[in-house]
Amino acid sequence: MLNYQRTIPTKLYFGKGQISHLEEALKSFGKNVLLTYGGGSIKKIGLYDEVMKILNEGGFNVTELSGIDPNPRIESVTEGVRICREKDIDVILAVGGGSTLDCSKAIAVGTYYEGDDMWEMVVNAEGIAEKAVPLVTILTLSATGSEYDGGGVISNMNTNQKLGRSYTYPAVSICDPTYTFSVSPYQTAAGSADIMSHIMEDYFSRTDDSDLSDGIAETILRSVMKNCPIAIKEPDNYSARANLMTNSSIACSGIPAYGKQETGWPCHAMEHELSAFYDITHGVGLAILTPRWMRHILAKDSTATGRFVKFARNVMGLDGEDEAKLALAGIDALEEYFKSTGIPMTLTELGIDEEHFEVMADHANEEGYLKDAYVALTNEDIIQIYKACL
Ligand code: NZQ
Ligand code: ZN
């Protein structure tokens, strides 16, 4: 087990009715609020009205930034920074899924960036300010863990780049599972695949003796596979939505990686390229890539077999004497599970062909992620994995 340090400064309010803490959370920062949200789902579910009532009754001055896209764009960050600077914003209130939260994190630090070119800030990550406008979030989709981590992922569709960076932690996150009752079956399945991927990216590491991390990881994976199908069938099943939400926050928090060697999150690096070129849903890209990546690395390096056997036994509930077969059976079972949730499981279904695979592989490795992966990946490996996804 390796050394580790961790501070998670976010105060989480989890559960039904926790919006009752919103006013006190915002008040501690000031009166000028930037309210950020996406394409309007928060209006459909009545959350916008609920939030506005609290803000109006609390005497806050509210400016809105709406229309933040899934795979949030640099243009929204630029606009948010302009508003924060002009209106002397004291606190950002982000209401939505990972895209709204991520965009708001970039706005929070972008406000203090020395310069106006926000894409330059994202690309040259070293210039990201330590100081940030305080951020309060209300989560509406269980997936990314952005409510309980400091990262954010911003896209530039002009340059086909989607880059993950460390920005700032939310000061407060309100996680009420009832706000996720309206999430579509497709987004529920995609978000759940994302939660699982956050776990699997660290589970498949060269550190074999971090029992706590492995135990948390296996529990979360089993819990997601149990609760996602329930939430798809019964969207307002509180217990299923609550389990998905709490799994989402922990999966990306770093806790399931305690004491483990970093892996560079290869499936995320490969997926971000798919989203950057084709604007696809993050979790769907991960579900397509993960079983193909697993088969590829298992074939490339048989020393990985032991961990895949552990995965097959402890996560997929399989058994058998022949370890090589058991390892593969676990991967097949994972793929079958993803299929059963109804999301596309090939790139062809998404209209993606091999045209950009070479340059995507180049980009994915450029960030330096994949040399440290559980089994190191060359550009050629990545191209082969993409091809296996067609
Ligand atoms: O835009 P609105 O109208 O709100 O609709 C959204 C959007 O269309 C909808 N939605 C959200 N909550 C809903 C709802 N629909 C009905 N009812 C609700 N309660 O769902 C759609 C997708 O929303 P989005 O925020 O894009 O989804 P998600 O939370 O999966 O976020 C994805 C983004 O986060 C990044 C991804 O790359 C992607 O850009 N990630 C962020 C991470 C982080 N901060 O740590 C880590 C992840 O690995 C990931 O990369
Ligand atoms: Zn993810």
Side-chain angles (χ1 to χ4, degrees), residues 37-42 44-45 68-72 95-102 105 139-147 149-155 162 179-184 187 190-191 194 198 252 265 268 271-272 275 281-283 286:
Y37 56 97
S41 69
I42 67 160
K44 283 194 201 131
I45 64 175
I68 295 171
D69 293 302
N71 298 326
V95 187
S99 294
T100 294
L101 272 54
D102 282 8
K105 289 176 179 177
L139 183 68
T140 66
L141 202 167
S142 305
T144 63
S146 191
E147 68 278 12
D149 72 20
V153 191
I154 302 298
S155 294
K162 177 173 178 176
Y179 298 145
T180 65
F181 286 176
S182 54
V183 175
S184 66
Q187 289 292 344
D194 190 24
H198 297 159
C252 206
W265 286 35
H268 274 67
E271 194 295 311
H272 285 170
S275 289
T281 301
H282 175 62
L286 291 168

Side-chain angles (χ1 to χ4, degrees), residues 145-178:
S146 191
E147 68 278 12
Y148 202 46
D149 72 20
V153 191
I154 302 298
S155 294
N156 184 337
M157 299 318 277
N158 298 322
T159 57
N160 292 122
Q161 282 171 293
K162 177 173 178 176
L163 303 176
R165 296 287 181 252
S166 280
Y167 291 121
T168 185
Y169 281 83
V172 173
S173 285
I174 294 171
C175 301
D176 181 337
T178 65

Side-chain angles (χ1 to χ4, degrees), residues 51-73:
V51 167
M52 285 310 284
K53 188 165 180 279
I54 293 166
L55 294 176
N56 289 332
E57 287 176 2
F60 293 97
N61 311 312
V62 184
T63 309
E64 295 187 23
L65 173 67
S66 61
I68 295 171
D69 293 302
N71 298 326
R73 312 292 201 258

Side-chain angles (χ1 to χ4, degrees), residues 6 19 30 40 62-63 69 71 87-88 99 109 127 141 155 172 193 220 231 238 245 255 272 278 284 316 335 354 386:
R6 193 89 201 158
I19 199 167
V62 184
T63 309
D69 293 302
N71 298 326
K87 303 250 176 180
D88 205 11
S99 294
V109 292
L141 202 167
S155 294
V172 173
I220 290 180
Y238 182 81
M245 192 170 252
I255 293 171
H272 285 170
Y278 298 100
V284 170
M316 306 312 297
E335 188 169 5
E354 41 187 290
Y386 282 139

